[in-house]
Amino acid sequence: MNAVPGPDAPRAELTLRGLIIGIVITLLFTAANVFFGLKAGLTFATSIPAAVISMAILRAMKNATIQENNIVQTVASAAGTLSSIIFVLPGLIIVGWWTGFPFWVSFGICAAGGILGVMYTIPLRRALVTDSDLPYPEGVACAEVLKVGSGEVVEASDSAAVEGGSAGLKAVLVGSVVSALFYIVVQTKLFASDLAQYFRIGDRGAASGYDFSLSFALFAVGHLVGLWVGLAMLFGAIIGWGWAVPHFTLLHPAAGDPSDVAQAAWSHYVRFVGAGAIGVAAIWTLAKLVKPVVSGLSSAMAASRVRKAGKGSTLPRTEQDMPIGIVGLIVLICMLPIAYLLGHFSVVSGLASHTTLLVVGGVIFVLILSFLVSTVCGYMAGLIGSSNSPLSGIGILVVIIAALLLVAGVKSELPADSGKALVAFALFITSIVFAVAAIANNNLQDLKTGQLVDATPWRQQAALVIGVIAGAIVIPPVLGLLNKAYGFLGAPGVNPAHALPAPQAGLISALAQGVIQHNIDWSLIGIGAAVGVGIIILDGILAATTKSVRLPPLAVGLGIYLPTSTTLMIVAGAIVGWYFDKRAERQPKAEAIKQLGVLLASGLIVGESIIGVVVAAIVVFSGKASPLAVVGDSFEQPSVWIGSIAFVLVTYAMYRWIARMGRNS
């Protein structure tokens, strides 16, 4: 093993070969993420699988460094995250405004919005990464993987020995192999993908249920985010499925299977309650972040003045951001294509009489709201991880604000038949802000990884811009291909049996139409806002009266908004991880054992993520929904029991093995 050079020592980092490898990985991950998101309603973080692939490639080359590996995963993760634009952009197809995805317009939305997202995260880095205790689960996990893969040791402590030694590498590899194999067996349908049960409550039509996704990646996220975030999400899930779903199914009774009734209530009512709770929590988060964000901006400006004065050498390499003057210039340059896109869209949509107002107002809207959204998304990603951050909840809030402004500003002066054009414009401008949000949701996670592996921030920020451009090139043709092959559910003339669900795009489109056509139920948003205020007050009381017990309001909002198939397994992972750490504290080598637990969780995310990419590609190219299935639907009930028992036994065996290895390391 080699000792890590000093933090300011020169090393290979932003290299041509690293950028090329990152861009090649981007092609695969972005395409898979686009399809996966449209089909399943979620995307996966690409940082860790990109880091693993990068390490495998660069190990065969000379003079590879952990920082160069970090650049590769940075490029790939930025592009993979930009694929979250699918949560909004297909809405223009669903409402019947577009029939395809014009390349240059779609590219412009992704590239301009994505680069703006990178720029906005630069002044946030000090506030939300350097001077913050947010857990950044995926960023920390990715850094651990990079450290193990490089074999570099920072210091001769137990935890460092675990990171760089064979024990740490075994933990990552075993976690990766186990989660990958389990995911493959789930795809064969021999193991069920989840443990779910829905039921009626009483005889008046109420229904509810639960759904544990048998996903080691979600379980690992729970281990990494910690006990109180997990319990806050559980509290939110109890509000959502213990009260809200039964309440709304009772108010709106429907015949049919309890699962369909409960899911319909969650989709049509409870998600909006969750969006209201997230909105209030987001505003509260913004209020608390004003001081550190201003401090971060001041630090960035001070660092820029130091460099201009010729004293750049006094600033550590690991704190050298892209100069704030260049950041401001790039932000202004990004506004030029955004202004053009808004102007062009207003003209072709029949809103030409208000082009000036729409362009000027739209640019101001994007400029201000994007920065606010970037702050909230960065905080949420730091709290719960990029993969589980509710980007669609942010999209809901943005499209509501955009639609309300259009109603207040221009609708009264337009013909009665202009409603569809206004809906399209609301979706269009929301997609730009959403591109900013998607990148901000991921970039701070990458910058956290960089901080932990002694990367140079400005080099990583440059790599993020390159990743955004690469993703913006790939996304439009992939979206066009999927639109032609399957279509999106709810779009005119599409066969529902074969269409991709695109659930977030459908929901956000319905919201835009509801606001502009005055048929949205604001009481649901209001209920959620009231719940959010109550949670904020409760969290404040806990903070004032206890030392460690907290109830993060955003995490509670997530628990209401996200499906239980996501939240409950994260909760399980948080509880098991907490119990594992408590047991480890009784052992002589407590820190080493805890570190192995983190590395095991990192490996669990790696394995499932990589195999998820592969299976998504197989689905696309085979044209089959379940290309690996070896049994039919008749095996569903046995697969639930077999899969659940196997998940518990494998989890127990892994943690017991890790604890034993930590004691003997």
Side-chain angles (χ1 to χ4, degrees):
M1 282 181 282
N2 301 319
V4 174
D8 290 316
R11 66 197 72 197
E13 190 166 356
L14 188 63
T15 64
L16 179 60
R17 69 181 181 185
L19 293 176
I20 292 173
I21 294 170
I23 291 171
V24 170
I25 296 174
T26 286
L27 300 178
L28 172 65
F29 281 6
T30 304
N33 241 343
V34 167
F35 177 82
F36 214 62
L38 291 169
K39 186 174 181 64
L42 55 91
T43 57
F44 50 85
T46 54
S47 298
I48 293 174
V52 173
I53 295 172
S54 166
M55 287 188 296
I57 296 172
L58 287 176
R59 273 187 173 182
M61 302 179 181
K62 292 182 179 180
N63 303 320
T65 66
I66 189 172
Q67 289 78 23
E68 189 177 14
N69 272 313
N70 181 53
I71 288 294
V72 175
Q73 71 83 15
T74 297
V75 172
S77 67
T81 300
L82 190 59
S83 61
S84 296
I85 195 70
I86 61 171
F87 293 165
V88 180
L89 206 55
L92 290 163
I93 303 285
I94 293 173
V95 300
W97 192 258
W98 280 357
T99 57
F101 295 92
F103 177 81
W104 287 111
V105 175
S106 302
F107 170 83
I109 291 171
C110 294
I115 293 172
L116 195 60
V118 175
M119 295 302 108
Y120 277 158
T121 57
I122 292 173
L124 294 174
R125 185 186 68 84
R126 284 186 174 87
L128 295 182
V129 177
T130 304
D131 302 326
S132 169
D133 58 357
L134 290 171
Y136 287 100
E138 289 156 355
V140 171
C142 188
E144 298 297 342
V145 170
L146 288 170
K147 289 176 183 178
V148 170
S150 70
E152 295 181 343
V153 181
V154 179
E155 57 183 6
S157 65
D158 284 343
S159 61
V162 166
E163 288 174 358
S166 60
L169 187 57
K170 284 180 183 177
V172 173
L173 291 176
V174 168
S176 299
V177 171
V178 167
S179 64
L181 290 176
F182 195 91
Y183 188 85
I184 290 172
V185 178
V186 167
Q187 298 306 307
T188 67
K189 295 193 174 183
L190 291 171
F191 290 176
S193 61
D194 57 359
L195 173 62
Q197 184 174 359
Y198 295 90
F199 42 81
R200 294 285 185 177
I201 302 173
D203 56 0
R204 299 174 59 191
S208 189
Y210 58 84
D211 189 342
F212 279 89
S213 175
L214 298 179
S215 164
F216 275 113
L218 290 175
F219 181 89
V221 168
H223 181 123
L224 295 174
V225 300
L227 179 66
W228 294 113
V229 170
L231 292 181
M233 292 184 69
L234 176 61
F235 188 54
I238 291 172
I239 292 173
W241 288 86
W243 166 73
V245 170
H247 173 73
F248 287 109
T249 52
L250 189 62
L251 288 180
H252 307 277
D257 188 273
S259 65
D260 294 334
V261 174
Q263 288 289 349
W266 174 77
S267 178
H268 296 148
Y269 305 106
V270 180
R271 290 184 75 184
F272 294 97
V273 173
I278 290 172
V280 167
I283 293 170
W284 176 247
T285 300
L286 277 174
K288 292 197 299 180
L289 287 173
V290 168
K291 184 177 180 180
V293 167
V294 170
S295 175
L297 284 168
S298 301
S299 299
M301 292 177 182
S304 178
R305 287 194 295 269
V306 168
R307 280 189 289 270
K308 287 180 180 179
K311 302 176 183 177
S313 60
T314 63
L315 194 67
R317 177 186 59 79
T318 53
E319 284 299 318
Q320 293 176 6
D321 287 300
M322 191 178 290
I324 197 67
I326 294 178
V327 171
L329 179 62
I330 294 175
V331 168
L332 292 177
I333 291 173
C334 285
M335 290 301 154
L336 297 177
I338 289 174
Y340 171 79
L341 289 170
L342 294 174
H344 176 266
F345 194 88
S346 65
V347 170
V348 300
S349 61
L351 304 173
S353 60
H354 291 76
T355 297
T356 301
L357 176 61
L358 292 173
V359 170
V360 174
V363 167
I364 295 172
F365 178 85
V366 170
L367 188 67
I368 296 175
L369 199 63
S370 293
F371 183 75
L372 300 179
V373 163
S374 295
T375 305
V376 174
C377 285
Y379 185 89
M380 289 194 298
L383 179 68
I384 193 66
S386 301
S387 299
N388 301 291
S389 187
L391 273 179
S392 51
I394 295 298
I396 286 172
L397 296 173
V398 173
V399 81
I400 288 175
I401 295 170
L404 287 173
L405 290 173
L406 287 171
V407 169
V410 299
K411 185 180 180 183
S412 61
E413 301 177 16
L414 291 171
D417 61 354
S418 61
K420 188 175 181 180
L422 287 174
V423 169
F425 191 88
L427 291 171
F428 190 82
I429 196 169
T430 298
S431 68
I432 298 173
V433 177
F434 199 84
V436 179
I439 290 300
N441 184 57
N442 173 77
N443 283 7
L444 290 174
Q445 203 83 241
D446 284 330
L447 293 172
K448 180 64 177 181
T449 300
Q451 179 197 34
L452 296 174
V453 300
D454 288 334
T456 308
W458 76 260
R459 289 188 171 95
Q460 204 172 359
Q461 290 151 6
L464 288 167
V465 172
I466 293 170
V468 164
I469 295 173
I473 292 172
V474 175
I475 289 171
V478 173
L479 275 174
L481 177 67
L482 294 175
N483 181 45
K484 290 180 181 178
Y486 304 105
F488 308 123
L489 191 64
V494 169
N495 182 356
H498 298 99
L500 293 168
Q504 287 89 347
L507 174 62
I508 290 172
S509 301
L511 273 173
Q513 291 174 315
V515 172
I516 290 173
Q517 296 168 5
H518 302 293
N519 58 4
I520 188 172
D521 189 349
W522 285 105
S523 65
L524 298 174
I525 305 291
I527 291 171
V531 170
V533 170
I535 298 301
I536 289 169
I537 294 172
L538 179 57
D539 183 54
I541 294 172
L542 291 173
T545 57
T546 66
K547 292 183 178 180
S548 60
V549 178
R550 298 301 302 271
L551 204 64
L554 272 174
V556 177
L558 296 182
I560 300 172
Y561 179 80
L562 293 174
T564 55
S565 58
T566 298
T567 56
L568 294 184
M569 188 50 72
I570 292 177
V571 173
I575 294 172
V576 171
W578 168 80
Y579 181 73
F580 175 81
D581 287 347
K582 281 292 183 184
R583 293 269 306 208
E585 289 172 359
R586 305 174 191 171
Q587 305 297 324
K589 297 183 178 180
E591 290 306 314
I593 296 173
K594 289 181 182 180
Q595 189 66 34
L596 282 173
V598 171
L599 290 170
L600 176 66
S602 303
L604 292 173
I605 296 174
V606 169
E608 187 169 320
S609 297
I610 291 177
I611 293 300
V613 172
V614 174
V615 171
I618 294 173
V619 169
V620 171
F621 291 115
S622 69
K624 298 178 180 179
S626 303
L628 302 183
V630 297
V631 295
D633 293 339
S634 60
F635 196 72
E636 181 178 356
Q637 193 59 39
S639 72
V640 171
W641 287 103
I642 296 172
S644 301
I645 294 171
F647 191 93
V648 172
L649 292 177
V650 169
T651 301
Y652 175 77
M654 285 191 300
Y655 276 96
R656 185 173 181 180
W657 170 71
I658 280 291
R660 188 187 310 119
M661 187 166 60
R663 288 194 297 269
N664 298 331
S665 62

